[in-house]
Amino acid sequence: MNTNEQTFFRYHRRHLLGTEGLTPEEITILLDRSETHVQQNRQANKKKSVLYGRTIINLFFEDSTRTRTSFELAGKRLGGDVINMSVSTSSVKKGETLIDTAMTLNAMHPDVLVVRHPQSGAVSLLSEKVNCAVINGGDGAHEHPTQALLDALTIRRRLGHLSGLVIAICGDVLHSRVARSNIHLLNTMGARVRLIAPVTLIPSGIEHLGVEVFHDMDEGLKGVDIVMMLRLQRERMQGNFFPSIREYFNFFGLDEAKLANAKDNALIMHPGPMNRGVEMAVDPSELRGSVINQQVTNGINVRMAVLFDLLGSGSENSLAGSAEV
Ligand code: ASP
Ligand code: CP
């Protein structure tokens, strides 16, 4: 890939709210842009100044380790100012609504709001009210677009392409925004997606998204290139979706025996945080093909690319003309 040529193309939308509706070209632009940050993030001095003077606010109404930290690092490594708003110590606790909170922050003229919220659709609603770019850091069970992009970058860096690959997404699909964003992106890029879960954890009618559904791990994992495990989202569950954790692990937890059904060199992925002994064997690092750490690393590369492209809109010349691009 000639990265010099790639810098002339941009993702031109104002926000990044989901992977649904993104074109193959837009996805490729963001992945190619992410590649340009891989080397930068391997150097001792990881800092550039292309986003100097730009302000990014992380507004997380749900817990996060990876997404919030990597957006902060991404913004700082590009020279921007990053504010992490702690919702638990903010005026949200005094009853201020999501929209009023967003309007208040908007009045401080940030350039980007990165928002995570437990309600599906909340981030999109907020994006209609503010003047700045909005990035969805995960909304309810709806979408988590930068997760799907970092997953795609990790796959592409290991296997060279996405088209034609068979990917099994296993576990709590019903409550997973990671699953939805991955289904949209992977289908758009020509991969084939299988979903493997108990009947109770598969949304009814999901076949309409162009996926194959399995309820048996041995069958669903046969010959796959990639095994993507999902955490049980117990914070979103009301009622019982399976008899016990032990039974869930026996049938749907990934261990060597079930993995033997996949291709020999199959990649194992997990968005994190993982629950050992629930959806994963107690020590997943012993499972061959794990790229879970690479997913975390690529989270920074992807989030730098997204921030760069969103903040570049409307100031193409200043950014594209920078010697550091
Ligand atoms: N961290 C991912 C998310 O926020 C996956 C998970 O929490 O299980 O959607
Ligand atoms: N994968 C993911 O979004 O992780 P966090 O919830 O820790 O941000």
Side-chain angles (χ1 to χ4, degrees):
M1 183 189 64
N2 182 342
T3 50
N4 290 331
E5 282 172 20
Q6 301 301 329
T7 57
F8 291 103
F9 299 104
R10 303 198 86 96
Y11 168 86
H12 274 294
R13 297 185 198 225
R14 184 164 161 227
H15 307 297
L16 179 63
L17 300 175
T19 56
E20 185 175 11
L22 292 185
T23 64
E25 292 73 27
E26 287 174 314
I27 293 165
T28 304
I29 283 169
L30 288 172
L31 296 182
D32 289 348
R33 170 86 65 202
S34 306
E35 287 285 349
T36 69
H37 296 296
V38 171
Q39 280 313 321
Q40 178 186 344
N41 284 321
R42 285 182 180 157
Q43 289 163 13
N45 179 1
K46 302 174 179 60
K47 192 116 173 164
K48 296 206 173 188
S49 56
V50 288
L51 296 188
Y52 180 77
R54 303 304 186 101
T55 309
I56 298 139
I57 301 184
N58 276 330
L59 179 58
F60 278 54
F61 292 84
E62 258 190 15
D63 296 340
S64 170
T65 297
R66 295 151 198 77
T67 312
R68 194 175 54 187
T69 310
S70 57
F71 266 115
E72 180 174 0
L73 283 171
K76 287 181 172 169
R77 287 183 188 177
L78 291 173
D81 295 318
V82 184
I83 311 294
N84 288 308
M85 219 199 81
S86 161
V87 168
S88 61
T89 55
S90 73
S91 289
V92 169
K93 289 282 166 198
K94 300 177 191 166
E96 196 162 39
T97 65
L98 165 71
I99 297 302
D100 286 342
T101 304
M103 295 310 292
T104 302
L105 296 174
N106 189 52
M108 298 180 198
H109 302 297
D111 295 288
V112 182
L113 284 177
V114 182
V115 187
R116 172 172 284 190
H117 197 277
Q119 297 300 326
S120 300
V123 182
S124 169
L125 178 71
L126 184 150
S127 73
E128 292 165 14
K129 311 278 179 193
V130 297
N131 303 321
C132 60
V134 175
I135 301 173
N136 184 359
D139 64 322
H142 179 223
E143 283 244 28
H144 191 351
T146 55
Q147 179 70 45
L149 285 163
L150 76 85
D151 291 340
L153 181 67
T154 306
I155 296 169
R156 211 181 68 162
R157 288 189 65 74
R158 287 298 283 255
L159 303 179
H161 61 101
L162 295 164
S163 175
L165 294 175
V166 183
I167 292 133
I169 303 180
C170 317
D172 184 1
V173 179
L174 182 66
H175 301 103
S176 175
R177 52 200 177 203
V178 173
R180 262 163 212 79
S181 288
N182 264 296
I183 291 168
H184 294 307
L185 185 150
L186 291 167
N187 276 344
T188 302
M189 299 307 284
R192 283 168 46 207
V193 179
R194 296 182 188 174
L195 304 178
I196 313 176
V199 181
T200 49
L201 291 176
I202 290 278
S204 66
I206 193 133
E207 291 88 348
H208 292 123
L209 294 183
V211 295
E212 263 185 291
V213 174
F214 295 81
H215 302 298
D216 179 274
M217 283 285 270
D218 289 336
E219 207 189 318
L221 289 180
K222 266 195 194 108
V224 300
D225 299 284
I226 292 150
V227 184
M228 188 181 288
M229 300 305 296
L230 299 173
R231 180 178 66 91
L232 285 175
Q233 311 260 304
R234 280 184 269 190
E235 70 275 27
R236 297 188 215 292
M237 289 182 189
Q238 278 150 5
N240 293 328
F241 288 82
F242 46 86
S244 69
I245 292 292
R246 185 201 288 228
E247 185 158 321
Y248 181 83
F249 180 74
N250 283 343
F251 285 98
F252 295 99
L254 189 65
D255 54 18
E256 285 290 359
K258 296 189 191 86
L259 186 59
N261 292 287
K263 279 192 180 156
D264 284 346
N265 56 353
L267 304 183
I268 300 171
M269 308 183 77
H270 193 306
M274 74 173 97
N275 288 147
R276 294 165 188 251
V278 181
E279 75 275 3
M280 296 294 280
V282 175
D283 189 357
S285 63
E286 282 178 7
L287 297 174
R288 64 193 156 84
S290 169
V291 289
I292 296 170
N293 287 336
Q294 287 88 327
Q295 289 174 266
V296 176
T297 304
N298 283 326
I300 302 180
N301 298 321
V302 157
R303 287 164 181 137
M304 286 169 85
V306 170
L307 287 173
F308 183 93
D309 268 16
L310 288 185
L311 288 172
S313 312
S315 54
E316 181 92 24
N317 292 339
S318 61
L319 290 174
S322 163
E324 289 173 308
V325 169

